[in-house]
Amino acid sequence: MRISEAAALALATRLLEEHGAPRDHAALQARVLVTAEMKGHPSHGLYRLPRLVERIERGVIDPQTKGTQRWRADAVLEVEGSSGFGPVVAMAAIERLAPHIPDLGIGLVAVRNANHLGMLAHYVEAIAAMGFVGIALSSSEALVHPFGGTRAMLGTNPIAIAVPTAEEPLVLDLATSLVPMGRIHHHAATGRPIPEGWARDAAGNPTTDPGRAKAGAIAPFGDAKGYGLGIAMELLVAALAGSALAPDVRGTLDSQSPCNKGDVFILIEPSLAPGLPARLSTYLDAVCGSPPASAGEPVLVPGDRARRRRAAASRNGFEIDQRLWEDLNALSRPRILAFEGQRLCACLPP
């Protein structure tokens, strides 16, 4: 079924508010989920909303906190996430650091113990909109096997980079695994097999069954190259944030465990060289105008496809599994609560 951006945001925001999130926290978390849907990444979208609700109900998300911030150094803001929503904790810290960047030139936010961030593009796009170069790194449970191995030992360890130009920023957002684990969970939820080469099962055998893959390990992208980048990010995030390493990380894919992964955000003042933003845009235009390998399929730069999908979804809505939409609406329906033997209507908003 097809729904509008406004309808998706309204439902997701209301549902989180009903479970104790302040309006601004609920709206930000909802925006991150809905934007992922609009960009064509449902594995990071509304599919995650029931788990967020369940995590709030189990007490492993505190929907009201922004975490606790302290300056470790002039250019380093350290954050104890205190089980807050990942987007809320991250953006509060980024917004505190940003006013200092023109004087510092570069600054870093290191977060531990906040919940799942969603797509990292959201944060570097926000940083680029402030006029800075943005870099975001995050860690996860052990979900990826080493190159030449079969057991999950690394996180998916995504990285995102945004560079402002005279026009739209260049935005790169990728996991160091071949695919995010969320995509495998989405295949399992929708009953679709995964392509060959994505993952191994718990016994170390290649599999196309997403259920078996969930209990196994994802391949690193680019074999040894993705593995090398992934393990470097594993150590980098843990070293900067003081967070757990992959085998000890919990909480991004389950409903029971406090989340103890790490996140790092770097803000950099770009060069003030005359005409630099225009030169960057001209270069990207030249890349896109270079000869394509296939006729009718022009060259794109990172971020183009997601930006176009989001624009189309903003105009025309986006597709969502009807069962998921019905389940989300059911979660938000008024419920009858028992209190001292009386039946009381929860009186939730329509």
Side-chain angles (χ1 to χ4, degrees):
M1 61 179 294
R2 183 171 291 273
I3 61 171
S4 70
E5 175 183 6
L9 285 171
L11 176 58
T13 302
R14 184 175 73 238
L15 183 53
L16 293 170
E17 283 189 282
E18 290 169 2
H19 286 79
R23 176 74 181 189
D24 56 338
H25 292 199
L28 175 53
Q29 178 64 76
R31 166 52 68 191
V32 170
L33 297 176
V34 172
T35 299
E37 294 279 359
M38 296 171 70
K39 288 181 173 181
H41 295 279
S43 62
H44 284 61
L46 294 172
Y47 149 79
R48 290 180 178 263
L49 188 51
R51 183 178 297 132
L52 285 173
V53 168
E54 188 172 0
R55 288 180 63 78
I56 294 171
E57 291 175 339
R58 290 176 178 267
V60 291
I61 287 181
D62 178 351
Q64 300 196 20
T65 188
K66 293 183 178 180
T68 302
Q69 305 165 349
R70 78 172 187 92
W71 292 102
R72 187 194 301 172
D74 289 346
V76 180
L77 186 62
E78 183 177 82
V79 183
E80 165 53 55
S82 303
S83 297
F85 286 129
V88 171
V89 173
M91 287 307 303
I94 289 169
E95 288 167 1
R96 184 173 180 188
L97 177 62
H100 301 273
I101 299 303
D103 293 327
L104 295 169
I106 184 170
L108 181 146
V109 171
V111 181
R112 60 178 175 269
N113 301 330
N115 279 277
H116 192 255
L117 290 173
M119 292 184 68
L120 294 189
H122 175 86
Y123 308 96
V124 295
E125 287 172 345
I127 293 168
M130 300 172 185
F132 308 125
V133 173
I135 302 173
L137 315 170
S138 189
S139 59
S140 77
E141 293 92 337
L143 301 170
V144 181
H145 64 73
F147 176 65
T150 61
R151 178 183 297 175
M153 295 298 297
L154 291 75
T156 54
N157 300 348
I159 178 171
I161 300 171
V163 181
T165 73
E167 299 174 0
E168 297 286 354
L170 175 88
V171 180
L172 173 71
D173 183 358
L174 56 84
T176 54
S177 56
L178 188 59
V179 293
M181 179 56 87
R183 188 173 298 180
I184 290 176
H185 277 243
H186 189 256
H187 274 256
T190 54
R192 294 179 296 143
I194 60 174
E196 292 183 3
W198 275 20
R200 294 176 178 269
D201 63 19
N205 301 310
T207 184
T208 60
D209 182 334
R212 291 179 178 274
K214 286 166 60 177
I218 311 170
F221 88 86
D223 296 329
K225 292 181 179 180
Y227 164 54
L229 184 59
I231 202 164
M233 295 302 171
E234 187 77 48
L235 270 61
L236 181 61
V237 171
L240 294 174
S243 53
L245 291 162
D248 297 319
V249 172
R250 302 290 183 273
T252 70
L253 291 166
D254 65 73
S255 300
Q256 298 82 29
S257 305
C259 193
N260 62 343
K261 49 88 177 148
D263 310 305
V264 172
F265 305 93
I266 302 171
L267 286 65
I268 307 170
E269 176 81 2
S271 169
L272 300 178
L276 177 62
R279 285 196 287 119
L280 297 179
S281 291
T282 298
Y283 169 66
L284 294 180
D285 289 343
V287 171
C288 292
S290 63
S294 300
E297 297 182 14
V299 175
L300 302 176
V301 296
D304 279 352
R305 188 174 286 108
R307 192 177 292 117
R308 292 174 185 179
R309 286 173 178 163
R310 181 176 183 176
S314 184
R315 293 190 304 269
N316 307 317
F318 58 90
E319 293 292 331
I320 187 173
D321 181 80
Q322 183 169 345
R323 183 175 56 184
L324 172 60
W325 185 247
E326 291 170 351
D327 288 346
L328 293 175
N329 276 277
L331 282 175
S332 186
R333 287 174 183 162
R335 295 177 294 278
I336 301 299
L337 304 181
F339 181 72
E340 293 183 354
Q342 300 180 11
R343 284 162 58 85
L344 301 175
C345 177
C347 298
L348 301 178

